[in-house]
Amino acid sequence: MGGLGKTTVALALCNDNEVKGHFKEMIFFERVSESPKLKGLLERMWDKIVHEKRPEFHDVKDAHQQLRKRLRQMEPQPTLVVLDDVWEINHLEKILCEGKGFKTLVTTRNNNVVKSDYRYDLPCLREQDVMSLFCFSAFDRKSIPETADYNLVKEVIVECKGLPLALKVIGRYLHGQPPAAWITAKDKISQGQTISEYHETKVLKRMATSIDILAEEVREFFLDMGIFLEARKISVDPLLDLGVYVHKLKWKASYTISIALASPNLVTLVNNKKGTPGNPYGCSGELSLIQHDVMR
Ligand SMILES: Nc1ncnc2c1ncn2[C@@H]1O[C@H](COP(=O)(O)OP(=O)(O)OP(=O)(O)O)[C@@H](O)[C@H]1O
Ligand SMILES: [Mg+2]
């Protein structure tokens, strides 16, 4: 299911000290996504793992064969390859490599991509973590404050179905809102609910509420992000250009709005150079936005 935390867990694993101690520099993380450029991915794998001048690859098949052959000849060394967000088994088969000490971790929404013997189905968050994550987004603390309507907050939390993305987005959307807004939101997100409806679709509908209530110009910016390729970092600069040249905004307003999208957790800010969380007060040239593809 989308937004469950698969990528988050995979990234946490790559940052785990024990894992880093074992694999050292040989940890390769790649987002595969729905329509991947597999030849480019194999080229990056060659550069990162083989550390030799890369030969000319004619196509994906040739790149895969040459990489597999070279890996077989190399001295075995612990290597972790994370292939995040694989949509089709057909994609995985074209990039999967093996070797002594070579481990591949795949994250996917599609049960058919990895055989059940090798699969770990990530559970939804535990009740206690659901509460902390929602409250952290809605109240900047880990529990429901005494000033809030306990039952109302619990009802909203239940509607998020333990899905981290929904807890973050809906929680943030209700941050600082008066009780009346919570009641309206709760009614809205529980509207049209039928037992037979697919779980994920229901939660997605709920998250759409947080986009509906955005100020018009912020919503326009959010929708504009749909023109960029999925699963890619979007440099803030072209987004600013859209604001200035298409929406006729002043540069500063354009910047403020694009950064404002990070506040309700609709996008994540990253620093291009360091790959660390982006500083909204930093230089726009160094900032990128990542839009979770469930939110597209
Ligand atoms: N355990 C967690 N604690 C706090 N936040 C979390 C946790 N797991 C996930 N999140 C947050 O939930 C959001 C969705 O998580 P993530 O992108 O890892 O989902 P995913 O399963 O990879 O989704 P997709 O299938 O769309 O790729 C992110 O904003 C992430 O920060
Ligand atoms: Mg993911």
Side-chain angles (χ1 to χ4, degrees):
M1 188 197 299
L4 195 58
K6 301 178 293 296
T7 302
T8 307
V9 170
L11 283 169
L13 190 90
C14 294
N15 277 320
D16 178 86
N17 283 337
E18 209 178 317
V19 173
K20 285 199 282 195
H22 181 72
F23 293 103
K24 310 269 180 320
E25 298 299 304
M26 297 304 285
I27 298 179
F28 178 81
F29 184 99
E30 185 76 24
R31 275 181 223 280
V32 181
S33 76
E34 190 175 5
S35 32
K37 303 259 182 290
L38 297 178
K39 182 160 164 277
L41 189 154
L42 288 160
E43 286 169 352
R44 287 191 291 282
M45 256 169 106
W46 179 287
D47 294 343
K48 170 90 189 182
I49 299 168
V50 180
H51 294 305
E52 278 171 15
K53 189 171 175 334
R54 178 167 16 100
E56 181 75 19
F57 297 141
H58 303 302
D59 50 27
V60 176
K61 194 172 172 196
D62 178 43
H64 193 210
Q65 276 172 351
Q66 293 209 50
L67 180 59
R68 281 163 61 106
K69 185 171 165 205
R70 190 67 196 91
L71 288 172
R72 276 197 297 273
Q73 296 163 342
M74 279 170 58
E75 277 290 303
Q77 60 177 334
T79 304
L80 173 64
V81 173
V82 180
L83 300 172
D84 181 44
D85 201 18
V86 177
W87 282 60
E88 292 175 29
I89 189 159
N90 165 43
H91 293 156
L92 183 61
E93 283 166 355
K94 289 178 177 157
I95 51 178
L96 197 62
C97 293
E98 58 224 22
K100 210 153 178 251
F102 202 95
K103 300 274 179 216
T104 304
L105 174 73
V106 174
T107 80
T108 180
R109 293 184 205 171
N110 180 351
N111 281 347
N112 300 325
V113 166
V114 180
K115 283 198 202 120
S116 58
D117 294 357
Y118 298 99
R119 202 170 68 217
Y120 172 68
D121 293 317
L122 193 65
C124 283
L125 289 184
R126 288 174 308 180
E127 205 176 324
Q128 193 187 348
D129 297 331
V130 163
M131 174 67 84
S132 326
L133 182 57
F134 183 85
C135 289
F136 201 73
S137 304
F139 308 114
D140 298 322
R141 50 178 280 170
K142 284 187 173 172
S143 57
I144 303 176
E146 281 177 12
T147 46
D149 179 336
Y150 186 87
N151 290 333
L152 180 59
V153 176
K154 286 285 272 189
E155 282 179 71
V156 173
I157 292 178
V158 166
E159 297 296 342
C160 298
K161 305 288 175 199
L163 200 62
L165 186 63
L167 290 160
K168 277 179 80 171
V169 171
I170 294 174
R172 202 63 195 171
Y173 146 59
L174 289 167
H175 184 268
Q177 300 282 343
W182 278 74
I183 294 169
T184 315
K186 196 218 83 191
D187 290 344
K188 210 168 170 188
I189 54 185
S190 53
Q191 250 173 29
Q193 185 180 350
T194 65
I195 301 295
S196 61
E197 217 178 345
Y198 178 47
H199 178 93
E200 187 177 357
T201 323
K202 282 194 290 189
V203 181
L204 287 181
K205 272 192 193 154
R206 282 163 198 162
M207 282 196 281
T209 315
S210 61
I211 296 161
D212 292 346
I213 56 94
L214 291 174
E216 194 181 333
E217 67 273 24
V218 181
R219 189 168 60 239
E220 288 292 321
F221 255 70
F222 185 74
L223 297 177
D224 280 349
M225 293 181 75
I227 65 172
F228 295 96
L229 285 173
E230 46 132 13
R232 299 280 188 279
K233 279 195 289 190
I234 302 168
S235 225
V236 168
D237 280 339
L239 204 59
L240 294 184
D241 287 345
L242 268 176
V244 173
Y245 298 108
V246 179
H247 299 295
K248 308 290 175 210
L249 293 169
K250 293 259 188 305
W251 186 90
K252 204 169 169 188
S254 185
Y255 184 72
T256 310
I257 293 171
S258 44
I259 298 303
L261 289 169
S263 162
N265 287 333
L266 293 174
V267 300
T268 308
L269 294 178
V270 280
N271 182 301
N272 287 338
K273 287 187 189 153
K274 301 177 194 151
T276 52
N279 174 4
Y281 306 107
C283 161
S284 71
E286 286 182 2
L287 268 186
S288 285
L289 305 179
I290 298 180
Q291 183 184 36
H292 198 283
D293 69 351
V294 167
M295 301 303 293
R296 279 168 72 86

